[in-house]
Amino acid sequence: MKKQQAYGNDSISALKGADRVRKRPAVIFGSDGLDGCEHAVFEILSNAIDEAREGHGDLVIVTRYEDHSIEVEDFGRGCPVDWNEKEGRYNWELVFCELYAGGKYDNNSGGDYEFSLGLNGLGACATQYASRYFDAVIRRDGFKYTLHFERGEIVGQLKKEPADRKKTGSTFRWLPDLDVFTDINIPKEYYEDTLKRQAVVNSHIKFVLKNQVGSRYETTEFLYQNGIVDYVTELAGENPLTSVQFLEGERRGRDRADKAEYKVKLSCAFCFSSAVSQIEYYHNSSWLEHGGAPDKAVRSAFVSAIDAYLKQNNKYNKSESKVTYQDIFDSLVLVTNCF
């Protein structure tokens, strides 16, 4: 029988550096399988979207290579990577090698990002740690910065040279590591679905997917100039029962009396159709597959509003029961996006 080791003071250890992600990827990405690998892609993509949403660039290009590597390019301000006097470290160390470091923690009090997809300071670092290699090319402040990582460790050092173009922005290319994920073969359909959904909830931002097939690239563009209004119009088809209605508002709220206020922004587009029924909810640009709180709100609001209208206009027959959400759902085409 194998002798059991004593569980003593020397049994406790702490993961450090890249091992915090590489040995337990599911903690960060939710899975060490293909779902987790896809999550890592969205972490990098969300940073590009945040830049464009803040008005810095209106184009995001995603390239799917045949060797399973991925590239995301934006034309925003360019990720800060040079010396950070306040922290006493290079920003590239904070962004790509330090979990819970980033520029989105002050979004509720006038920071660089008013509404953003990612707030935890994990994405760029965690994705870099989980990659076989990770290359970053940053253009900002008149310079071009280049970094190369392998399995979570920098190779060489930060390279700084005069910029080779006027446009600023960040380009990241990485190969997910099979030592971290059990599967890295992300299908083209994932990119198509993800970029289309992001185009829907991020009006005026164009997303371009370049899919490598041999020596050529198949290119698909996704753009909804008017966001969810154009999407609902597309879903409803040629003969909807009503025109598309659009509602948008901003409020401040809190989860508890002793908690700080936060900003809430809601957009909603809907119409009624005799041929189509489709409802989609998004939170911070992420599709809520199971609806969550927005679904409860929509059910309550539509039943209440339509019931009140029917009563006020004497539309109910004597023996008719109150309208239900199922009655409404059968003809409702609706998309909401909240932050």
Side-chain angles (χ1 to χ4, degrees), residues 73-85:
E73 180 176 13
D74 70 60
F75 299 87
R77 291 166 290 185
C79 175
V81 290
D82 221 329
W83 183 255
N84 185 324
E85 195 65 43

Side-chain angles (χ1 to χ4, degrees), residues 254-261:
R254 63 181 82 222
D255 291 324
R256 229 171 46 200
D258 60 333
K259 290 288 186 179
E261 283 190 338

Side-chain angles (χ1 to χ4, degrees), residues 15-33:
L15 293 177
K16 300 176 181 64
D19 283 346
R20 291 173 292 175
V21 174
R22 295 181 65 83
K23 289 192 174 183
R24 294 294 184 269
V27 174
I28 301 294
F29 301 117
S31 165
D32 64 354

Side-chain angles (χ1 to χ4, degrees), residues 301-337:
F302 272 83
V303 170
S304 175
I306 293 178
D307 175 58
Y309 170 82
L310 294 173
K311 286 177 180 176
Q312 290 169 7
N313 292 275
N314 297 315
K315 296 292 185 180
Y316 279 124
N317 294 324
K318 267 189 175 181
S319 60
E320 197 170 16
S321 58
K322 177 181 175 179
V323 67
T324 67
Y325 181 67
Q326 191 59 48
D327 299 324
I328 300 164
F329 173 82
D330 288 341
S331 59
L332 182 60
V333 182
L334 176 143
V335 177
T336 70
N337 186 30

Side-chain angles (χ1 to χ4, degrees), residues 196 224 228-244 270-278 331-335:
K196 179 177 180 177
Y224 287 85
I228 60 176
V229 172
D230 287 350
Y231 184 47
V232 169
T233 302
E234 176 186 293
L235 292 174
E238 294 183 359
N239 299 301
L241 295 172
T242 68
S243 60
V244 176
F270 69 93
C271 70
F272 290 92
S273 166
S274 59
V276 181
S277 171
Q278 187 158 338
S331 59
L332 182 60
V333 182
L334 176 143
V335 177

Side-chain angles (χ1 to χ4, degrees), residues 239-251:
N239 299 301
L241 295 172
T242 68
S243 60
V244 176
Q245 304 298 306
F246 178 69
L247 306 171
E248 186 173 43
E250 291 189 31
R251 298 288 188 274

Side-chain angles (χ1 to χ4, degrees), residues 199-220:
V200 165
V201 294
N202 292 288
S203 61
H204 81 269
I205 301 176
K206 180 189 288 187
F207 295 85
V208 176
L209 173 62
K210 296 171 64 179
N211 181 55
Q212 185 182 21
V213 181
S215 60
R216 62 187 180 88
Y217 290 87
E218 299 172 338
T219 301
T220 309

